[in-house]
Amino acid sequence: MLRVLVALAVFLPIAGCDLLFDFPEWQWHQKLTVSVMTPEGMKVGSAVTSARIEFPPKWTGVGDAAGMQRGGVSGEAVVVDLGEGRYLFALLQGYSEWTAYTAFFPELEGKAMLKEEMFPYLDRMVASDGQSRDVPRKHYPLLVTFDDINDPASVRRVNPGDLAATFGLGYRLNAITLSITDEPVTEGRVKDVLGWWIDLRAGRYNEMVSLKLERFPD
């Protein structure tokens, strides 16, 4: 009898509390596209990443972590081949599961909202398959290049507002856009360009996290 009562208690809602097993969760694929104007014309690169946002109930955490939002982005950097052995990379640093939300609903940024008020917007965003939005400048991912593509130590930051300072006259960032897609997660492009990265990367994907180093403080 006790076992039956316990089982019933697990599935009965408690007034004034989250349902014990209510885990609002959204998963989707998002495609980041970077386009650069060069003296030879427009160069474009893109990568599809997997993103997830979930709001677990309060009983899943302790103290300040109780009910804390969880999520993340998995995938690899965007690679833009600029020609003549030069490349621009848009890293996952500064690129999160909330980038799509801010791109699709910029009017909501900074607005105080209950998490339940966000749910309809997340539903709309995930359902926006094929639609594209400009990524707000303040949410651009970190852009880097390598003076020598074969030398990891030659990495340096690229100013999105002044590509000419890095690559020369005639180079400028045209746009960084994000779209919701059903395309598979991109794999292998970073490795194809940076042959040495397979030995230095962290985790399952080419997230290039270690490129933060002292040059790229948080």
Side-chain angles (χ1 to χ4, degrees):
M1 176 63 72
L2 178 60
R3 186 175 298 175
V4 172
L5 291 175
V6 170
L8 286 173
V10 167
F11 291 101
L12 287 175
I14 302 174
C17 299
D18 290 334
L19 292 176
L20 287 177
F21 290 96
D22 182 19
F23 281 77
E25 182 179 23
W26 293 262
Q27 297 186 39
W28 68 96
H29 286 183
Q30 55 192 37
K31 184 175 186 177
L32 191 71
T33 300
V34 179
S35 56
V36 177
M37 181 58 70
T38 76
E40 287 72 42
M42 193 74 71
K43 306 292 184 180
V44 180
S46 63
V48 176
T49 55
S50 174
R52 177 179 61 86
I53 290 174
E54 70 173 37
F55 293 90
K58 292 182 179 179
W59 61 263
T60 60
V62 178
D64 292 340
M68 183 175 294
Q69 180 265 322
R70 297 190 294 231
V73 172
S74 297
E76 64 180 41
V78 175
V79 182
V80 185
D81 185 348
L82 301 178
E84 299 181 352
R86 297 199 290 180
Y87 297 86
L88 177 69
F89 298 85
L91 308 189
L92 295 190
Q93 184 178 348
Y95 181 54
S96 77
E97 68 271 26
W98 288 102
T99 302
Y101 185 86
T102 56
F104 275 79
F105 309 110
E107 70 278 7
L108 299 180
E109 186 166 10
K111 181 179 179 180
M113 299 176 68
L114 297 173
K115 65 181 182 180
E116 291 80 4
E117 295 177 305
M118 299 179 184
F119 295 173
Y121 292 99
L122 288 166
D123 288 338
R124 287 169 52 191
M125 181 192 76
V126 173
S128 301
D129 188 19
Q131 297 185 34
S132 179
R133 298 288 189 276
D134 289 329
V135 175
R137 169 68 182 269
K138 65 186 296 186
H139 295 292
Y140 278 1
L142 177 63
L143 303 180
V144 303
T145 190
F146 293 84
D147 291 331
D148 180 351
I149 201 65
N150 296 309
D151 180 7
S154 70
V155 63
R156 59 169 166 151
R157 184 193 295 265
V158 175
N159 181 351
D162 189 10
L163 265 64
T166 301
F167 299 109
L169 293 176
Y171 290 85
R172 65 175 176 81
L173 182 65
N174 180 64
I176 298 181
T177 62
L178 185 146
S179 60
I180 307 300
T181 181
D182 59 2
E183 296 178 37
V185 172
T186 302
E187 294 184 350
R189 292 184 185 171
V190 172
K191 182 182 69 175
D192 289 344
V193 175
L194 304 177
W196 44 263
W197 187 254
I198 194 69
D199 297 322
L200 301 179
R201 67 181 181 173
R204 178 180 176 187
Y205 295 99
N206 294 306
E207 296 179 283
M208 307 183 81
V209 171
S210 66
L211 293 184
K212 293 179 182 180
L213 300 176
E214 65 276 5
R215 294 187 180 210
F216 308 131
D218 290 327

